[in-house]
Amino acid sequence: MKFNTKTIHGGQQHDPSTGAVMTPIFQTSTYVQQSPGKHKGYEYSRGENPTRHALEKAFASIENGSHGLAFASGLAATDCVLRLFNSGDHIIAGDDLYGGSYRMFTLLFSKYGLKFSFVDMNNPENVANAITDNTKLIWLETPTNPLLKVADISAITAIAKANNLLTAVDNTFATPYNQRPLEMGADIVMHSATKYLGGHSDVVMGALMVKDDKLAKDLHFIQFAAGAIAGPMDCFLALRGVKTLALRVQRHNENAQLVAEFLNKHPKVETVYYPGLESHPNHEVAKSQMRGFGGMLSFRLKDKSKETTFKMLENFNVITLAESLGGVESLVNHPATMTHASIPAVEREKLGITDSLTRLSVGVEDVNDLIDDIANALKLV
Ligand SMILES: *Cc1c(COP(=O)(O)O)cnc(C)c1O
């Protein structure tokens, strides 16, 4: 099956009890048993639910994995991965991570004795140099949030394999339409399905996809034992979203490329961060591992004052000022005060998440309306 067919049919079957074409919302916590321990494979919905099951199969299919798991949020999915490890284990992560991942690593899991190193993954050598005897996992996000840095997935998974380490990739920004890390040697793919997989800004959900049976079993145990599952209604909505993933991402890719090129030529803009621009420092790596460059971009105005950037942000009409990303509607965000506020100011400055940085999730509206909206907001500053 090709990708665009998988988004619609991958792992799906019509409901065997009624013939319903779409898997119904099985809003039930429990299931009848004919005799104690004798049942149809469903006992209690923390363990198994048919709507979640259908979605998890779709998740596995679109990342070309053999198992998928659906969680209450993207961070609940990340939490499940980290619970594979023991006190004293060491994890290498990128230095430009989603703020919530960074917060979980440094403020939550460090309490339980997990050790973290944050390195610039633009250069795979930095990863190799950070490996210690206790290293167990490489946590990779590419392209990164918010600076759209690109890491060479195959080069990093090769280093991981040579050192017997697992690699997990947060593939939220790219989506499996553009990039499939399991095919490049990664062991685990993580998604905030809140974003492109759901695609309509109406669900908070997380996903894990793997291809190894033993790893799937361990993750399923944690999902069941810790309990951060996705509910049936949300699973139905996410499954509905996945069916149009290919169509949406094609348009996100096209629109973001045009918006990036427009911004890149604009006299008031200093830098545009988008892997689809030839000026992006890792454009060649991006081209080699991505089918398209995604709907996310960031940019920095020449006028570095917070007031000027805020003025622009207050003057969009079509584009909405809000956290989150990946929905059909365009959203704009000020990382330093919104999504990335949990990163200490000193760290933020070092990384380049300063007051002049704006992040844009380019939606699937008519691109001319988006460009007019940006042009107008920039005229006012
Ligand atoms: C949003 C996001 C997350 C966290 O997902 P939630 O669904 O908000 O818990 C993780 N990684 C990236 C790249 C994200 O954008």
Side-chain angles (χ1 to χ4, degrees), residues 106-294:
T106 54
L107 298 182
L108 260 178
F109 277 95
S110 60
K111 270 203 320 206
Y112 302 106
L114 288 187
K115 304 264 186 289
F116 296 90
S117 296
F118 298 96
V119 306
D120 181 355
M121 297 222 173
N122 266 339
N123 181 359
E125 245 175 64
N126 295 336
V127 177
N129 291 337
I131 295 173
T132 71
D133 290 346
N134 297 324
T135 307
K136 294 281 157 46
L137 173 75
I138 299 174
W139 181 271
L140 187 59
E141 192 180 306
T142 181
T144 62
N145 180 1
L147 288 166
L148 284 300
K149 286 192 190 177
V150 170
D152 185 334
I153 299 174
S154 300
I156 291 171
T157 58
I159 292 167
K161 291 234 160 9
N163 291 279
N164 243 336
L165 312 176
L166 290 175
T167 310
V169 180
D170 181 339
N171 205 30
T172 301
F173 266 36
T175 83
Y177 177 88
N178 287 325
Q179 165 176 293
R180 286 189 293 279
L182 295 181
E183 294 172 5
M184 293 179 254
D187 302 286
I188 302 170
V189 166
M190 174 264 161
H191 277 275
S192 170
T194 313
K195 317 294 166 57
Y196 290 100
L197 300 189
H200 296 76
S201 305
D202 51 10
V203 170
V204 173
M205 188 185 288
L208 296 179
M209 295 82 158
V210 296
K211 56 196 173 185
D212 178 77
D213 292 345
K214 166 78 171 63
L215 190 54
K217 202 166 158 247
D218 293 346
L219 292 167
H220 266 125
F221 173 75
I222 298 167
Q223 183 195 36
F224 175 68
I229 49 149
M233 177 72 197
D234 286 353
C235 289
F236 175 84
L237 288 171
L239 189 55
R240 186 187 221 259
V242 165
K243 287 179 193 287
T244 55
L245 180 67
L247 291 169
R248 287 185 284 109
V249 177
Q250 278 162 23
R251 180 62 64 82
H252 284 296
N253 288 344
E254 287 166 20
N255 282 3
Q257 184 74 36
L258 292 170
V259 170
E261 284 167 9
F262 168 78
L263 285 167
N264 209 27
K265 286 191 303 238
H266 197 284
K268 290 183 181 168
V269 174
E270 184 195 71
T271 320
V272 181
Y273 303 87
Y274 185 65
L277 292 176
E278 272 170 36
S279 55
H280 187 284
N282 270 342
H283 177 63
E284 288 307 315
V285 175
K287 233 166 54 177
S288 72
Q289 69 189 19
M290 300 178 81
R291 172 169 163 196
F293 302 105

Side-chain angles (χ1 to χ4, degrees), residues 2-149:
K2 301 275 194 292
F3 183 82
N4 294 11
T5 311
K6 281 183 177 179
T7 59
I8 297 161
H9 298 294
Q12 301 308 297
Q13 58 169 144
H14 305 315
D15 177 49
S17 60
T18 61
V21 168
M22 272 301 287
T23 299
I25 305 165
F26 283 91
Q27 197 75 49
T28 187
S29 59
T30 189
Y31 308 83
V32 65
Q33 308 205 359
Q34 286 72 50
S35 171
K38 214 173 137 217
H39 50 75
K40 299 184 165 152
Y42 296 97
E43 294 169 85
Y44 184 64
S45 280
R46 175 159 28 75
E48 279 292 342
N49 175 281
T51 316
R52 192 172 91 230
H53 201 202
L55 175 66
E56 290 181 330
K57 287 184 144 170
F59 280 165
S61 176
I62 57 176
E63 282 288 359
N64 210 8
S66 51
H67 303 272
L69 298 96
F71 294 88
S73 69
L75 286 180
T78 302
D79 172 84
C80 180
V81 174
L82 292 196
R83 284 172 196 261
L84 290 168
F85 304 100
N86 298 311
S87 177
D89 287 348
H90 174 241
I91 292 165
I92 302 170
D95 65 0
D96 180 34
L97 284 186
Y98 172 69
S101 307
Y102 181 83
R103 179 175 54 210
M104 180 188 290
F105 295 174
T106 54
L107 298 182
L108 260 178
F109 277 95
S110 60
K111 270 203 320 206
Y112 302 106
L114 288 187
K115 304 264 186 289
F116 296 90
S117 296
F118 298 96
V119 306
D120 181 355
M121 297 222 173
N122 266 339
N123 181 359
E125 245 175 64
N126 295 336
V127 177
N129 291 337
I131 295 173
T132 71
D133 290 346
N134 297 324
T135 307
K136 294 281 157 46
L137 173 75
I138 299 174
W139 181 271
L140 187 59
E141 192 180 306
T142 181
T144 62
N145 180 1
L147 288 166
L148 284 300
K149 286 192 190 177

Side-chain angles (χ1 to χ4, degrees), residues 325-345:
L325 59 107
V328 289
E329 66 289 296
S330 294
L331 298 180
V332 70
N333 156 49
H334 188 251
T337 44
M338 295 166 67
T339 48
H340 290 67
S342 62
I343 299 177

